[in-house]
Amino acid sequence: MAESVELPSRLGILPFRNKVLLPGAIIRIRCTSPSSVKLVEQELWQREEKGLIGILPVRDTAETTTAIGPVVSQGIGSDSGERSSRVHVGASDSHRLDAKNQQENIHWHNRGVAARALHLSRGVEKPSGRVTYIIVLEGLCRFSVQELSTRGTYYTARISPLEMTKAKMEQVEQDPDFMTLSRQFKAAATELISVLEQKQKTGGKTKVLLETVPVHKLADIFVASFEISFEEQLSMLDSVDLKVRLSKATELVDRHLQSIRVAEKITQKVEGQLSKSQKEFLLRQQMRAIKEELGDNDDDEDDVAALERKMQSAGLPSNIWKHAQRELRMLKKMQPLQPGYNSSRVYLELLADLPWQKTSEEHELDLKAAKQHLDSDHYGLVKVKQRIIEYLAVRKLKPDARGPVLCFVGPPGVGKTSLASSIATALGRKFVRISLGGVKDEADIRGHRRTYIGSMPGRLIEGLKRVAVCNPVMLLDEIDKTGSDVRGDPASALLEVLDPEQNKTFNDHYLNVPFDLSKVVFVATANRLQPIPPPLLDRMEVIELPGYTPEEKLKIATRHLIPRVLDQHGLSSEFLQIPEAMVKLVIQRYTREAGVRNLERNLAALARAAAVRVAEQEQAVPLSKDVHQLASPLLENRLAEGGEVEMEIIPMAVNNHEISNEFRIASPLVVDEAMLEKVLGPPRFDDREAAERVATPGVSVGLVWTAFGGEVQFVEATAMVGKGDMHLTGQLGDVIKESAQIALTWVRTRAMDLKLAASEGINLLEGRDIHIHFPAGAVPKDGPSAGVTLVTALVSLFSQKRVRADTAMTGEMTLRGLVLPVGGVKDKILAAHRCGIKRVILPQRNLKDLVEVPAAVLADLEILLAKRMEDVLEQAFEGGCPWRQHSKL
Ligand code: ADP
């Protein structure tokens, strides 16, 4: 702290350019110019006692005056009345000063401050070797310059001190004006200190200054710490009068206080504005940190941005794009963990994924190629293929024609699905299959509203998302298997789908915006026509595929199935041969079906077994020479391990030529009967089955119709001691139960004529119960067409005559014994043919249905037409109706 010091009459002068050092201020400077280095060296560094130097402000000026050399200007705002004269240093001396000073007009202030060095350090710059000093200086007291001269390269000045004597000081302190001023200053200073302390949270150390340091010195110390202009600094330096000094200092402190307050206000305002967004930012940062900690760092923001980009490129129609944007805005406002966020995102993903505009490029339809394609994929089915070609031809002529929806109806495995996919290939479109089997809920077609938890779009929209084009061929598979219950009627939803007027704006409940289905080509399949609701059937054009004859199956097997199966298993005909006779056996004994699906399965089983057989025989069978060059390590292992090979590890991708090359055996493996039995097990069906089953009286052979096509159905009747009741078993529906009642009634009424009873009035059921059973008891059965079969079984039972094993029958019977026509004749005849039945009894009125039956089948069968029940019985028994035999007797 500056205390009163004795000033020498002459001081070395360090000029401060545009800067003032006030008493009480401490400053650190670096002296580099030769003159200042010299000054420091001589006045401070080389002195033993602590030296003093004078700091004199100089003013830069742009003016160039004629006068060369330093000029000492009069103090600014000088209040003391002292007149400091301009001191011209003789031009003769000036040549020794810095070159800079020689060129410039330097305005020296006539008042300065004596300063002492608190710290001095000397440095030598490398490589120039220039000496520099760093000094920490403390301002002590004011002086005025009497005369300025030079000593070597630096200035010195003759000075006189400006500080008051002690006596004068005491006198001033008594001055009431001074006292008021000093109070004002202290008050302002105290306030400033407390504001600063509050801001910087410093302890109350500065306040101690106020108590201990004389007020006039305090004024300098305070002002020295402010950033004020050079003019203001000079004016403070010139305030030698204590009252003037105090009032100036008070003014500056006040100004400083005000500027602090204004700055504070501004910061508060800005902080207020920022705080909301800052808070959000902070929270987000925290959330990110938490996520990272949990290892859940998928960046949702990026995801949402990606989703938005995806939506932009999805080609949404404008109204739907607006809807999607609304939804997206909502999503952006949500937090990922918020309920509804996920469902909203999944929904938007669907909107982005759906093919609103995307189509597969439709190439020019080549009917010839389409026909060839159909022919190469499917054997037979001439009419069906013809109809498909017609359909394609119409599409070619009028691409946007709203043609009918094709519906392939037939038993499983007859090629419905593969025909539909051939249509897609012919049109060059993508193919998607929607399975409707077992769909009972309307929401399966139309989707659930998004208000439901776990809601989903319907199968159609889901299928379109999967196929990713808006013009695929869409197969509505098993359209007859949709049912309706309390959850709505899927068929009515399908009506909308198939109606060209309505499907332009198909409304899926989940999607909640219309989707245009008009570009989709619909094809449907069904096993049966009856369950399809008439309005739906009305929108479709039915093409029936009745099922194949054994001959057709044989052709399909040899031309299509066997090559495909061999290829799928990496084999070839060089390696495995399935002779036609064996295929026939498979058809007859292992697959009694209308289609060829099981046939294909059985052939695949043979191929698999053959592959294993080769691997097993590998050591015993002479392999070709090139076996040792096996390329595949997998195959090498197999050879090394000998027979320990599982067929599943046969690499499916290995092409058949490779396998057959690697495992070439001396002669191809030919499937024989023994192999059939070994691989497929004992025959499942037997031509002698009917004969064995009808070996006892009371059994007759019927023909029924199921979803799998026609089938042979045996009816068994037996009698036992009882009270004349009739028992029926075999999962029978009401209609078939009634048929049984009718049959029994008719037999009882005609008992005499049929010679079942010796005389009129005898009760056939006297003392006995009748039990009628329909084997395959687990399969539900219903329908009226078993009427004639039931009567035949009962007549056989009562007459104890066996029915013919080669004869099957179908027909509804009235109470009076008339035989009424039934449905599914073609399928039933095909089934009989498959089972080796030779004769079929049909209602007379079903004659017209025979045109649908393939001629090859009819050629094999004897069709017997019946008008009345007696006609049936006549044909059903060996040697004619039992009563005739009786009458003959
Ligand atoms: P569906 O849809 O009628 O149940 P699929 O179309 O699935 O039957 O056919 C079953 C298998 O039988 C398929 O591999 C198919 O290629 C084959 N298939 C059916 N009919 C024929 C045919 N006429 N010619 C060649 N392969 C056929």
Side-chain angles (χ1 to χ4, degrees):
M1 188 56 50
E3 65 276 357
S4 325
V5 276
E6 284 287 312
L7 286 183
S9 59
R10 191 168 273 281
L11 278 177
I13 294 296
L14 185 65
F16 263 24
R17 197 174 284 263
N18 295 335
K19 175 136 189 73
V20 174
L21 178 74
L22 286 173
I26 293 174
I27 195 170
R28 183 172 176 272
I29 53 169
R30 186 159 178 261
C31 300
T32 53
S33 72
S35 60
S36 57
V37 167
K38 196 83 198 154
L39 167 82
V40 174
E41 216 156 47
Q42 294 201 348
E43 301 291 328
L44 302 172
W45 185 256
Q46 291 167 3
R47 294 223 170 172
E48 288 195 354
E49 79 280 18
K50 276 191 177 169
L52 293 176
I53 53 170
I55 307 293
L56 204 58
V58 292
R59 182 197 294 274
D60 260 350
T61 172
E63 291 167 35
T64 40
T65 56
T66 42
I68 296 175
V71 172
V72 178
S73 65
Q74 189 183 329
I76 302 161
S78 166
D79 51 337
S80 60
E82 292 170 48
R83 294 278 165 263
S84 53
S85 55
R86 279 184 163 206
V87 181
H88 289 271
V89 177
S92 55
D93 295 335
S94 68
H95 68 278
R96 288 195 305 239
L97 296 178
D98 286 353
K100 208 171 174 195
N101 283 351
Q102 285 173 16
Q103 301 303 318
E104 285 177 11
N105 219 358
I106 298 179
H107 288 261
W108 294 88
H109 197 66
N110 65 344
R111 283 177 188 153
V113 171
R116 71 169 168 216
L118 294 179
H119 181 79
L120 254 181
S121 66
R122 188 171 190 266
V124 180
E125 274 182 10
K126 279 180 185 166
S128 59
R130 193 167 69 137
V131 174
T132 57
Y133 283 96
I134 292 175
I135 340 165
V136 180
L137 285 173
E138 183 191 10
L140 295 176
C141 55
R142 291 172 172 80
F143 63 81
S144 74
V145 177
Q146 299 302 319
E147 191 193 69
L148 202 60
S149 54
T150 54
R151 181 184 292 163
T153 52
Y154 64 91
Y155 290 98
T156 59
R158 197 159 53 78
I159 58 154
S160 57
L162 284 174
E163 297 301 332
M164 280 181 203
T165 56
K166 222 175 175 185
K168 188 119 191 260
M169 190 79 199
E170 273 165 12
Q171 199 189 337
V172 173
E173 273 172 2
Q174 301 307 314
D175 184 343
D177 284 353
F178 177 82
M179 278 155 69
T180 325
L181 280 169
S182 116
R183 255 201 314 280
Q184 275 178 355
F185 173 77
K186 275 196 173 174
T190 319
E191 201 177 336
L192 178 64
I193 288 172
S194 50
V195 167
L196 291 175
E197 278 180 352
Q198 231 179 32
K199 259 180 87 172
Q200 292 160 5
K201 308 244 173 340
T202 51
K205 279 182 198 160
T206 334
K207 270 192 181 142
V208 183
L209 277 178
L210 292 178
E211 311 303 324
T212 51
V213 178
V215 73
H216 60 281
K217 286 187 178 165
L218 272 181
D220 281 336
I221 294 173
F222 267 77
V223 174
S225 68
F226 299 155
E227 272 185 27
I228 50 175
S229 69
F230 181 50
E231 300 303 330
E232 278 171 326
Q233 288 174 10
L234 283 180
S235 132
M236 194 63 193
L237 175 64
D238 290 340
S239 308
V240 178
D241 184 286
L242 291 191
K243 283 194 269 182
V244 175
R245 196 187 299 172
L246 274 182
S247 70
K248 267 199 185 131
T250 315
E251 191 190 313
L252 287 172
V253 170
D254 271 344
R255 210 172 73 191
H256 197 69
L257 256 174
Q258 258 175 23
S259 73
I260 290 178
R261 286 200 180 116
V262 169
E264 245 173 21
K265 255 190 199 161
I266 291 173
T267 354
Q268 270 174 7
K269 216 172 174 182
V270 174
E271 264 177 10
Q273 281 168 355
L274 280 183
S275 61
K276 211 177 145 210
S277 55
Q278 273 176 339
K279 212 166 148 188
E280 232 170 65
F281 175 76
L282 267 175
L283 287 173
R284 281 192 196 288
Q285 290 297 101
Q286 280 175 2
M287 204 163 73
R288 199 162 288 189
I290 291 171
K291 274 191 168 178
E292 260 171 34
E293 202 60 30
L294 290 173
D296 181 17
N297 357 338
D298 63 333
D299 206 337
D300 290 290
E301 267 177 76
D302 289 355
D303 277 6
V304 172
L307 178 62
E308 192 171 3
R309 276 197 300 279
K310 200 159 117 187
M311 280 167 57
Q312 277 160 357
S313 54
L316 297 164
S318 64
N319 54 334
I320 292 161
W321 173 236
K322 272 185 207 150
H323 166 83
Q325 270 184 323
R326 255 199 316 276
E327 191 76 30
L328 189 72
R329 275 199 295 276
M330 266 160 60
L331 181 77
K332 280 182 182 165
K333 284 185 202 150
M334 285 193 232
Q335 292 299 322
L337 295 179
Q338 205 170 326
Y341 178 89
N342 231 12
S343 90
S344 189
R345 247 195 75 169
V346 171
Y347 175 70
L348 284 172
E349 294 267 2
L350 175 71
L351 283 188
D353 283 343
L354 276 180
W356 297 94
Q357 315 260 345
K358 216 171 133 208
T359 55
S360 45
E361 271 204 25
E362 213 168 327
H363 54 69
E364 178 68 21
L365 183 63
D366 180 352
L367 280 182
K368 242 190 187 157
K371 197 165 180 329
Q372 271 173 6
H373 184 74
L374 279 174
D375 280 338
S376 70
D377 277 2
H378 299 92
Y379 170 81
L381 303 173
V382 181
K383 272 194 198 160
V384 177
K385 285 184 205 161
Q386 182 56 36
R387 180 63 193 93
I388 291 175
I389 292 295
E390 284 165 19
Y391 174 83
L392 294 178
V394 174
R395 283 203 78 89
K396 182 177 176 168
L397 294 180
K398 202 157 185 276
D400 54 347
R402 291 172 180 172
V405 173
L406 294 184
C407 177
F408 297 119
V409 180
V414 291
K416 301 184 295 292
T417 313
S418 65
L419 278 172
S421 110
S422 289
I423 292 179
T425 321
L427 288 173
R429 298 197 184 195
K430 286 196 174 179
F431 178 70
V432 58
R433 178 176 162 270
I434 312 279
S435 173
L436 298 177
V439 167
K440 287 214 166 65
D441 190 348
E442 193 187 340
D444 274 325
I445 310 288
R446 265 192 214 282
H448 292 276
R449 288 190 195 284
R450 280 180 57 210
T451 39
Y452 292 105
I453 291 174
S455 53
M456 282 191 309
R459 294 188 187 196
L460 275 99
I461 292 295
E462 196 62 57
L464 284 167
K465 181 184 153 192
R466 224 179 323 134
V467 76
V469 286
C470 66
N471 67 341
V473 170
M474 187 178 273
L475 178 70
L476 303 173
D477 209 5
E478 307 197 310
I479 204 165
D480 57 329
K481 302 262 169 52
T482 58
S484 60
D485 63 9
V486 282
R487 292 169 294 176
D489 184 5
S492 63
L494 282 175
L495 268 184
E496 187 190 327
V497 172
L498 299 182
D499 188 342
E501 299 301 322
Q502 294 181 48
N503 69 11
K504 249 186 156 35
T505 53
F506 173 67
N507 202 350
D508 184 283
H509 290 326
Y510 179 83
L511 204 58
N512 208 18
V513 285
F515 191 91
D516 184 3
L517 291 179
S518 61
K519 295 197 188 80
V520 179
V521 174
F522 289 103
V523 179
T525 76
N527 289 142
R528 300 161 62 188
L529 275 183
Q530 282 80 349
I532 305 176
L536 199 55
L537 200 58
D538 197 39
R539 292 210 169 30
M540 301 189 288
E541 177 166 337
V542 172
I543 300 179
E544 290 195 69
L545 291 97
Y548 301 110
T549 61
E551 286 69 31
E552 283 173 325
K553 285 187 192 173
L554 182 66
K555 295 256 168 52
I556 293 173
T558 48
R559 291 188 196 175
H560 299 276
L561 304 183
I562 294 176
R564 197 185 314 157
V565 161
L566 291 181
D567 189 56
Q568 280 169 357
H569 291 80
L571 306 167
S572 78
S573 56
E574 279 174 51
F575 168 67
L576 173 72
Q577 286 184 3
I578 310 177
E580 279 197 7
M582 289 306 115
V583 179
K584 269 188 191 161
L585 279 187
V586 175
I587 293 168
Q588 277 169 18
R589 297 188 184 170
Y590 294 92
T591 62
R592 273 203 188 149
E593 54 172 355
V596 290
R597 191 166 289 155
N598 280 328
L599 177 61
E600 190 174 4
R601 237 174 253 154
N602 284 327
L603 293 173
L606 287 173
R608 285 199 304 267
V612 176
R613 175 83 64 93
V614 169
E616 279 172 349
Q617 286 178 349
E618 162 276 320
Q619 276 158 343
V621 176
L623 290 166
S624 74
K625 286 177 233 99
D626 49 2
V627 165
H628 62 272
Q629 294 167 0
L630 283 175
S632 154
L634 181 64
L635 297 180
E636 270 173 67
N637 284 344
R638 294 152 130 270
L639 286 175
E641 287 162 20
E644 304 283 311
V645 183
E646 287 282 328
M647 58 168 225
E648 277 76 15
I649 61 168
I650 291 174
M652 298 294 280
V654 174
N655 107 20
N656 49 5
H657 305 297
E658 275 173 39
I659 275 223
S660 44
N661 283 341
E662 312 298 9
F663 288 101
R664 191 172 299 142
I665 49 180
S667 55
L669 184 65
V670 182
V671 175
D672 55 11
E673 246 187 289
M675 182 174 172
L676 278 191
E677 286 225 1
K678 199 173 163 206
V679 177
L680 305 179
R684 292 185 56 208
F685 306 99
D686 193 345
D687 281 350
R688 289 157 300 171
E689 187 193 8
E692 278 167 16
R693 290 181 78 162
V694 297
T696 48
V699 182
S700 62
V701 190
L703 292 170
V704 292
W705 194 71
T706 70
F708 297 97
E711 262 181 43
V712 168
Q713 169 77 63
F714 294 92
V715 177
E716 298 175 350
T718 187
M720 63 223 146
V721 179
K723 289 184 269 175
D725 293 337
M726 182 169 72
H727 307 284
L728 290 164
T729 51
Q731 286 234 37
L732 309 177
D734 287 343
V735 179
I736 210 165
K737 281 181 190 160
E738 284 170 3
S739 294
Q741 275 301 340
I742 295 169
L744 186 61
T745 308
W746 187 83
V747 173
R748 286 175 72 183
T749 51
R750 302 296 305 273
M752 250 300 275
D753 301 342
L754 294 169
K755 306 274 190 290
L756 301 176
S759 62
E760 200 76 46
I762 289 183
N763 185 359
L764 270 183
L765 298 181
E766 185 72 56
R768 51 182 174 179
D769 283 354
I770 304 291
H771 185 155
I772 300 174
H773 177 63
F774 287 73
V779 184
K781 304 163 196 82
D782 204 5
S785 68
V788 296
T789 326
L790 279 160
V791 173
T792 311
L794 287 174
V795 172
S796 164
L797 174 72
F798 291 125
S799 66
Q800 285 299 301
K801 287 275 168 197
R802 283 184 287 164
V803 298
R804 288 180 67 150
D806 62 350
T807 307
M809 62 202 74
T810 182
E812 180 178 355
M813 190 197 69
T814 67
L815 206 49
R816 310 291 305 275
L818 279 178
V819 177
L820 299 185
V822 290
V825 167
K826 181 184 57 194
D827 289 312
K828 288 174 179 175
I829 292 181
L830 287 173
H833 186 245
R834 277 199 300 275
C835 293
I837 300 283
K838 296 283 176 258
R839 304 164 80 234
V840 176
I841 304 173
L842 285 183
Q844 167 98 45
R845 280 162 64 190
N846 275 123
L847 179 65
K848 60 178 183 345
D849 298 316
L850 291 179
V851 290
E852 293 173 25
V853 182
V857 175
L858 282 181
D860 279 355
L861 290 173
E862 188 183 346
I863 305 290
L864 306 157
L865 298 169
K867 246 177 161 176
R868 298 191 53 81
M869 192 58 224
E870 286 83 354
D871 303 335
V872 177
L873 294 175
E874 182 68 32
Q875 303 296 344
F877 290 90
E878 195 76 58
C881 184
W883 76 78
R884 291 220 184 129
Q885 287 183 15
H886 278 271
S887 58
K888 271 181 205 161
L889 283 173

